[in-house]
Amino acid sequence: MNNYSEKFEKMRIAGKLAAQTLDMLTENIKEGISTAYIDKLGYEFIRDNGGYSAPLYYRGFNKSLCTSLNHVVCHGIPSEDRILEDGDAVNVDVTAILNEHYGDTSRMFCIGDSSIKLKNLVDATYEGMMKAILILKPGIKLGDIGFEIQSYVEEKGFSVVRDFCGHGISKSFHESPNILHYGSKNTGIEIKPGMTFTIEPMINAGKFGTKVLNDGWTAVTKDKSLSAQFEHTVGITENGYEIFTESVKGYSKPPYL
């Protein structure tokens, strides 16, 4: 038994709850509902399954999850006033705390009829994340993760957000190291067994510049182009990786149902 088995077991449980929350939301997110309703559903599901929503009251954030629509890059605040409409794209970011460990994951949802550009952006974001996950094993460098994502999505004509990144996670929401979604091969620290972190690329249809709105949270694309994101929490094993936040129902990317 290795020295991180207990941590991984707890990360599995927290990650599964976060993934099950998104699975439940996947079956409820549709045109005509408010982002506040998504938040309510997520909060209640995590609570009813013995967990706690990590974003709630984190550094003053007053909602249980993030809903980032269209040109919002991340940290969108759920609202009664924002009703999902045909053509919208929304990222829902869920983090559950269970047994003092954190599971952090997000998915994109496309409402009604999506443009070809949006579908391509969402696909490229998901595939970029998965390409980075598939190379994970002890001995590679953090820069290899960023290189996989950046080289893939830029070839598709999209850009990688620089202002936000993935992060270490276990008994704290955000730990070191930072996981950049751009970079060069064989740079950065070496990945070792027992490490747990998120990979959560934010990919823009236009340029990579972002700005944070006056609410102090909502980050948007400077050029108002569409943005997409997916996120998994992963652990590094002796010879590879484990995804703690995989969908229990096989929901990977849109269309889900």
Side-chain angles (χ1 to χ4, degrees), residues 64-223:
S64 296
L65 47 77
C66 298
T67 50
S68 301
L69 276 93
N70 300 330
H71 71 292
V72 178
V73 174
C74 60
H75 304 154
I77 303 171
S79 164
E80 294 283 0
D81 299 330
R82 188 52 169 97
I83 308 298
L84 296 183
E85 300 173 356
D86 183 55
D88 276 340
V90 59
N91 174 273
V92 178
D93 193 339
V94 169
T95 309
I97 311 172
L98 199 57
N99 299 323
E100 299 182 334
H101 284 68
Y102 288 70
D104 190 0
T105 183
S106 81
R107 275 180 220 161
M108 291 299 297
F109 298 89
C110 298
I111 311 304
D113 289 328
S114 303
S115 67
I116 297 297
K117 184 164 194 174
L118 173 59
K119 288 176 181 173
N120 289 343
L121 174 65
V122 169
D123 283 349
T125 305
Y126 177 78
E127 296 300 339
M129 175 186 69
M130 291 309 301
K131 282 179 177 295
I133 290 174
L134 288 169
I135 67 163
L136 294 176
K137 63 182 180 181
I140 73 163
K141 303 284 184 68
L142 287 185
D144 298 341
I145 295 172
F147 176 82
E148 286 295 321
I149 295 167
Q150 183 179 12
S151 56
Y152 181 77
V153 303
E154 287 185 354
E155 190 179 302
K156 301 286 183 183
F158 304 122
S159 62
V160 181
V161 169
R162 308 297 204 264
D163 296 330
F164 302 94
C165 59
H167 50 88
I169 186 170
S170 61
K171 292 183 79 172
S172 300
F173 200 166
H174 297 95
E175 303 173 350
S176 60
N178 287 338
I179 310 296
L180 304 183
H181 303 116
Y182 60 95
S184 304
K185 278 188 175 179
N186 206 33
T187 61
I189 68 169
E190 185 176 308
I191 291 175
K192 293 184 166 58
M195 290 176 73
T196 48
F197 52 82
T198 70
I199 298 180
E200 48 181 299
M202 287 145 270
I203 308 301
N204 294 348
K207 295 179 178 175
F208 62 71
T210 70
K211 64 179 181 181
V212 177
L213 301 184
N214 291 336
D215 60 29
W217 285 103
T218 308
V220 300
T221 55
K222 278 187 178 175
D223 61 7

Side-chain angles (χ1 to χ4, degrees), residues 7-59:
K7 176 172 92 162
F8 271 37
E9 182 53 36
K10 290 181 175 176
M11 294 289 286
R12 270 181 215 117
I13 294 167
K16 183 178 180 182
L17 177 55
Q20 287 175 312
T21 305
L22 274 182
D23 283 352
M24 176 276 296
L25 290 172
T26 298
E27 293 161 5
N28 284 277
I29 289 176
K30 58 182 184 288
E31 188 176 349
I33 68 168
S34 71
T35 54
Y37 181 64
I38 297 171
D39 183 73
K40 176 178 180 287
L41 288 178
Y43 169 78
E44 290 175 351
F45 186 88
I46 291 171
R47 178 199 66 194
D48 293 347
N49 284 278
Y52 186 78
S53 296
L56 188 58
Y57 307 127
Y58 178 78
R59 295 182 180 173

